[in-house]
């Protein structure tokens, strides 16, 4: 079974346009496309996408942890960031479940006063904030995004949470790759960007697995 055909491609970036207006236009287009895509999937399509994300994501974490630790197997005691997906976001819940089953510690975001993002252990039902210093132990950062361009520039939801958090994560865990989880059509040639917009090292998509960006 194949994932149903993708929705129409996203808009082309208009150079010279007002960045704030362009971002608003893009966010509206991406959200509409996501709704159309997910409605077309149904349950079987979502399950297929979730399974593909889980297989590719677990392989990336295993490879990176094995390489940095000097061993070829096992991800127990590794730490990743992830997120709890909304209905139209890429279905990473199966990936998260498999990571946890393999012994990986999964940190999820806790939104505080904008643009402050805290982190909690997914195993903690109270979601107790652990402080940003917990990011020092991260091996791989899986993050949400609306779209990413070929230079790694990330278009987010507009709250500024990850634009604030990702530079701090890179300071605390400089060897941890940052991977945005997308639908297949959301890796694009160019997104509207401001100077402060965070970049990612790669994208994880159900149809193609991981794509590393910016010469990685």
């Amino acid at each position: 079974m194949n994932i149903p055909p993708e929705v129409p491609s996203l808009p082309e970036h208009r150079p010279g346009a007002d960045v704030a207006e362009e971002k608003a236009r893009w966010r509206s287009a991406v959200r509409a496309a996501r709704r159309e895509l997910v409605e077309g999937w149904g349950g079987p399509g979502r399950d297929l996408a979730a399974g593909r994300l889980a297989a590719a994501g677990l392989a990336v974490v295993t490879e990176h942890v094995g390489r940095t630790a000097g061993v070829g197997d096992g991800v127990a005691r590794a730490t990743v960031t992830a997120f709890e997906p909304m209905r139209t976001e890429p279905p990473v819940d199966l990936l998260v479940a498999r990571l946890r089953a393999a012994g990986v510690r999964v940190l999820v975001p806790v939104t505080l006063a904008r643009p402050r993002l805290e982190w909690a252990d997914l195993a903690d039902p109270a979601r107790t904030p652990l402080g940003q210093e917990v990011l020092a132990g991260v091996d791989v950062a899986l993050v949400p995004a609306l779209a990413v361009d070929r230079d790694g520039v990330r278009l987010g939801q507009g709250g500024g949470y990850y634009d604030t958090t990702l530079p701090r994560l890179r300071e605390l865990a400089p060897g941890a790759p940052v991977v945005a989880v997308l639908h297949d059509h959301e890796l694009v040639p160019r997104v509207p960007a401001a100077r402060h917009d965070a970049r990612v090292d790669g994208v994880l998509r159900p149809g193609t697995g991981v794509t590393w960006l910016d010469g990685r």
Side-chain angles (χ1 to χ4, degrees):
M1 180 175 66
N2 294 320
I3 295 176
E6 291 290 356
V7 295
S9 59
L10 297 177
E12 291 187 7
H13 175 46
R14 300 179 299 198
D18 179 88
V19 172
E21 291 182 0
E22 270 286 87
K23 284 185 174 184
R25 182 174 76 100
W26 268 73
R27 289 186 180 111
S28 178
V30 172
R31 289 165 182 155
R34 284 186 166 187
R35 289 191 296 270
E36 182 179 342
L37 175 65
V38 170
E39 288 168 4
W41 272 359
R46 187 187 191 283
D47 290 345
L48 179 59
R52 290 178 172 179
L53 286 174
L58 185 57
V60 167
V61 174
T62 301
E63 178 185 359
H64 178 75
V65 172
R67 184 171 61 249
T68 57
V71 296
D73 58 350
V75 290
R77 298 184 299 278
T79 299
V80 305
T81 69
F83 57 96
E84 298 168 278
M86 296 184 290
R87 186 182 71 87
T88 60
E89 288 185 303
V92 296
D93 33 0
L94 181 59
L95 169 57
V96 168
R98 289 185 180 174
L99 288 170
R100 293 185 65 197
V104 176
R105 185 188 194 192
V106 178
L107 303 177
V108 292
V110 178
T111 55
L112 301 177
R114 181 176 174 180
R116 186 181 172 196
L117 201 63
E118 267 282 3
W119 296 90
D121 194 320
L122 185 57
D124 173 15
R127 299 293 190 270
T128 305
L130 299 172
Q132 285 205 342
E133 289 70 23
V134 74
L135 296 176
V138 169
D139 296 286
V140 177
L142 302 173
V143 302
L146 287 175
V148 172
D149 73 19
R150 291 287 177 177
D151 291 327
V153 180
R154 172 186 175 275
L155 178 70
Q157 296 282 359
Y161 292 101
Y162 281 91
D163 289 329
T164 301
T165 298
L166 290 184
R168 182 60 175 153
L169 184 148
R170 292 192 187 278
E171 291 175 4
L172 293 170
V178 178
V179 179
V181 187
L182 302 175
H183 294 294
D184 286 300
H185 63 283
E186 293 169 350
L187 177 62
V188 297
R190 188 71 59 193
V191 298
R195 182 174 294 182
H196 67 270
D197 289 329
R199 294 177 183 245
V200 299
D201 302 305
V203 299
L204 170 63
R205 296 176 291 165
T208 53
V210 172
T211 302
W212 297 110
L213 305 172
D214 199 20
R216 181 185 171 92

